Amino acid sequence: MKGGGDKAGRGGLRLESPRFRLLSIVVGCFVFCLVFLLSSRPDVTSSFDIVSPRVSLANARRPAAVKTLRTSSATGAGEVVRDTVIVEERSDAEAIEAEHEEAERENDGNAATAAASNSDDQPAPEEEKTLAAAATGQSKLQEQPARQQPQEDLHEPAQSGGGDHQQQQQQQQPLCDFSDFRSDICDLAGDVRLDANASSFIVVDTTTSGANVPTTHKVRPYPRKGDMTCMNRITEITVRRATTTGGAPPPRCTVTHTSPAVVFSIGGYTGNIFHDFSDVLVPLYNTAHRYAGDVQLVMANVASWWLAKYAKLLRELSRHPPLDLAKAAASGEVHCFNHAVVSLSAHKELIIEKDRSVDGNLSTPDFTRFVRRALSLPRDAPTRLGDATGKRPRLLVISRHRTRLLLNLDAVIRAAEEVGFEAVVNESDVGNDISEVGKLINSCDAMVGVHGAGLTNMMFLPPGATLVQIVPWGGLQWMARADYGDPAEAMGLKYVQYEVGVGESTLKDKFPAGHKIFTEPTSLHKKGFAFIRQVLMDGQDIVVDVGRFRDVLLQVLNNLSP
């Protein structure tokens, strides 16, 4: 029995040996596959890690091109972040490279350029933007820097505390918008207090504690934000939140207004009619029109002569006397509002774009109608040839008196009269009464002038009239079009651009034949705007070819056909 049992045991072992060997092979294959998987995909090991919440948070914020829907909760052990959607993953090296590229793009977008000093009769462009526009044929205002994210956008509301408080924090809107390419604009609502002595607007917040109030903003309320030469002349306005509990208390009101405020500067390049309108009056109309006159205009860098010159336009925009920020500061005043807009909404030069207007329904012709109404200009259509009055159409020639002179002005006037115009000459000057200038130009049916700020007077022409711009030699067509050609057409005028030839410019007497200024003038633009202004704009006068210009005059006359 014993011997039989041993034999039976040895037989059972032999029978199970194949099964054991098969099991060993299966287990070995599994282990091999597992090792291969872990070595080729180290990120899989995270499934087996037990990490602290702090490590999870660090991993979640690893630089990567990921788009996540992130939820978080605060516990005693720390903050746990759960990423619910991952679009794309990058390696650490790729993420670092992407960060550097993003930083470079942001630095490039926010780089400010200094402009040349402004003359009395020419728009003051920003050097880098001007040269870029020359290369692309676009206006200097069409380049938009990378959006600067409002600081409130970067502020994460506290996650602890009551649900209502958390919801209020999440719904708190940014005070300022830095995305516009001409202006940084702050739209403030609620308990808004102007501490004039500190040039500061304070929004009093009763729903948050002092610890949760975002960092303050600094804004210069003038629409040339890329031009540091200009913007350094503008008073800086501080915008911040304050609370009634904790920290320094907000200032007490000395004057309370029921009307909203619109805050802007009349410093910068004002005093030049082009900038008076493109930087202040057109954007001011776009910003303040929605209030139908019930708005308090708050002005920085006030010049009394400027207020006197444009008083009729300002009174049409607001029935309240303007508030001079400097005078209010000297008196220690604190003005309180329920709504205030700091800075103006500006578009292209002298243009209001309807799809970007503040109330969504304004355009450039609305502004010119506003000007004609405010100045009591009677005509809203030009004279038509052969109408019942029998009058000859009037052509106004803008006569410059310092640079870019039209040396054969008398010959141009004779040619205009010969083709059928009544010719009128006007010397635009900064001291001219705006109402008188407006009445003269509104009485005309066409206007001619060499590129310069005097062409801004075209806005007094009746719709349907014609503007002729004489463009000096030097590849300046893009500038002429952006500053006056596009605005003229936006105002409902007809536009003709007469481009001077080499033989019509006095540059031919200053440079030898074959010089780059004649063969490749745009290649010289890379020398900078100071060169463009000094040599190509202010360094030449013009003698138009009267025979060639006569064809332009006939075209203008034909524009007046019924």
Side-chain angles (χ1 to χ4, degrees):
M1 294 290 295
K2 183 176 180 180
D6 291 341
K7 189 180 291 185
R10 287 192 297 270
L13 181 60
R14 285 194 299 268
L15 290 173
E16 291 184 0
S17 293
R19 298 178 184 175
F20 178 79
R21 285 196 297 272
L22 180 61
L23 178 61
S24 299
I25 292 171
V26 170
V27 172
C29 290
F30 174 78
V31 172
F32 175 82
C33 293
L34 182 60
V35 171
F36 177 81
L37 176 63
L38 295 181
S39 63
S40 62
R41 292 289 305 276
D43 53 311
V44 176
T45 59
S46 62
S47 302
F48 302 96
D49 289 343
I50 299 177
V51 296
S52 68
R54 181 170 297 180
V55 174
S56 293
L57 182 59
N59 290 337
R61 291 176 176 171
R62 176 186 300 171
V66 297
K67 182 177 181 181
T68 62
L69 299 178
R70 180 171 295 179
T71 59
S72 60
S73 60
T75 66
E79 186 180 36
V80 179
V81 178
R82 297 187 297 275
D83 294 334
T84 59
V85 178
I86 300 179
V87 177
E88 179 186 357
E89 294 183 351
R90 292 179 181 169
S91 66
D92 290 349
E94 290 173 327
I96 292 171
E97 182 179 351
E99 278 191 323
H100 282 304
E101 292 175 355
E102 182 64 28
E104 289 174 1
R105 285 195 298 270
E106 184 174 351
N107 289 338
D108 291 342
N110 292 332
T113 59
S117 298
N118 182 37
S119 67
D120 291 337
D121 60 0
Q122 173 61 26
E126 305 142 27
E127 183 172 345
E128 294 298 330
K129 291 183 180 179
T130 300
L131 298 179
T136 61
Q138 295 178 337
S139 164
K140 57 184 170 286
L141 293 178
Q142 289 176 309
E143 288 201 358
Q144 180 169 339
R147 183 182 185 274
Q148 178 182 352
Q149 190 175 14
Q151 294 180 27
E152 283 89 354
D153 290 351
L154 304 177
H155 175 71
E156 296 183 4
Q159 297 299 317
S160 59
D164 292 341
H165 175 72
Q166 179 179 350
Q167 184 177 6
Q168 289 170 349
Q169 285 288 82
Q170 291 173 341
Q171 292 177 350
Q172 191 177 71
Q173 296 297 316
L175 293 176
C176 302
D177 178 8
F178 298 96
S179 65
D180 189 77
F181 70 109
R182 286 195 67 177
S183 301
D184 295 330
I185 302 175
C186 303
D187 197 325
L188 316 175
D191 184 353
V192 181
R193 306 185 188 187
L194 166 60
D195 183 353
N197 189 51
S199 297
S200 179
F201 275 87
I202 301 102
V203 180
V204 181
D205 192 343
T206 60
T207 64
T208 60
S209 65
N212 294 321
V213 177
T215 307
T216 61
H217 299 297
K218 303 288 186 179
V219 176
R220 296 183 190 268
Y222 189 86
R224 294 275 168 190
K225 80 177 192 180
D227 184 344
M228 297 311 297
T229 299
C230 173
M231 297 303 280
N232 286 336
R233 307 174 186 175
I234 306 301
T235 296
E236 187 174 67
I237 305 293
T238 300
V239 177
R240 64 183 178 88
R241 282 194 174 95
T243 63
T244 53
T245 59
R252 293 185 177 180
C253 304
T254 62
V255 181
T256 300
H257 300 261
T258 58
S259 305
V262 171
V263 186
F264 60 99
S265 169
I266 54 176
Y269 292 135
T270 57
N272 171 316
I273 189 173
F274 174 86
H275 290 282
D276 290 345
F277 279 90
S278 191
D279 296 353
V280 180
L281 294 170
V282 174
L284 178 60
Y285 175 79
N286 182 35
T287 305
H289 173 267
R290 56 181 159 165
Y291 302 117
D294 187 19
V295 59
Q296 178 63 61
L297 304 181
V298 180
M299 304 179 184
N301 311 109
V302 171
S304 57
W305 68 265
W306 197 95
L307 295 181
K309 180 172 183 176
Y310 295 108
K312 290 183 178 179
L313 299 179
L314 296 175
R315 283 198 298 268
E316 191 74 15
L317 283 170
S318 172
R319 52 179 170 266
H320 307 289
L323 175 61
D324 184 335
L325 186 60
K327 289 183 178 179
S331 302
E333 298 171 1
V334 177
H335 291 257
C336 294
F337 304 90
N338 56 19
H339 186 202
V341 178
V342 181
S343 203
L344 304 177
S345 179
H347 303 157
K348 298 178 185 178
E349 307 285 22
L350 300 173
I351 288 175
I352 298 174
E353 297 172 297
K354 188 171 184 178
D355 59 344
R356 296 180 58 211
S357 66
V358 173
D359 66 4
N361 198 39
L362 286 182
S363 58
T364 311
D366 294 308
F367 177 75
T368 54
R369 276 192 296 271
F370 157 78
V371 169
R372 293 196 299 274
R373 182 175 68 249
L375 300 181
S376 301
L377 305 182
R379 301 176 75 223
D380 57 7
T383 299
R384 295 298 176 186
L385 294 177
D387 65 8
T389 64
K391 293 182 178 179
R392 303 175 77 186
R394 301 187 84 195
L395 173 72
L396 183 137
V397 181
I398 298 291
S399 174
R400 297 175 59 84
H401 49 80
R402 293 198 308 168
T403 61
R404 277 161 276 148
L405 305 180
L406 186 57
L407 297 179
N408 59 340
L409 175 62
D410 291 342
V412 171
I413 292 173
R414 284 196 300 273
E417 292 175 340
E418 287 171 2
V419 301
F421 284 105
E422 175 192 351
V424 181
V425 178
N426 176 256
E427 294 186 3
S428 179
D429 187 85
V430 67
N432 290 351
D433 180 86
I434 197 71
S435 296
E436 294 304 315
V437 172
K439 288 176 182 177
L440 171 63
I441 294 174
N442 184 252
S443 71
C444 297
D445 307 293
M447 189 170 81
V448 173
V450 180
H451 176 80
L455 297 182
T456 309
N457 290 299
M458 65 184 171
M459 67 180 55
F460 306 128
L461 288 170
T466 301
L467 173 70
V468 179
Q469 179 175 196
I470 301 174
V471 183
W473 176 262
L476 304 178
Q477 294 89 340
W478 60 271
M479 184 188 298
R481 164 60 71 170
D483 289 344
Y484 302 107
D486 291 342
E489 292 175 345
M491 293 174 191
L493 304 176
K494 294 180 172 63
Y495 176 67
V496 179
Q497 186 159 298
Y498 180 87
E499 298 172 3
V500 166
V502 172
E504 298 170 282
S505 170
T506 58
L507 290 174
K508 69 180 184 300
D509 304 322
K510 300 180 179 181
F511 295 89
H515 191 279
K516 267 192 173 183
I517 204 166
F518 304 123
T519 60
E520 301 177 73
T522 55
S523 69
L524 299 178
H525 291 190
K526 63 186 178 184
K527 291 178 177 288
F529 188 73
F531 173 85
I532 294 175
R533 176 185 292 281
Q534 182 180 358
V535 177
L536 298 179
M537 297 174 66
D538 296 345
Q540 67 176 304
D541 295 323
I542 295 166
V543 181
V544 298
D545 181 335
V546 176
R548 189 162 75 97
F549 197 71
R550 185 187 298 271
D551 293 337
V552 171
L553 295 173
L554 289 172
Q555 179 183 348
V556 175
L557 195 66
N558 187 60
N559 287 343
L560 298 173
S561 298

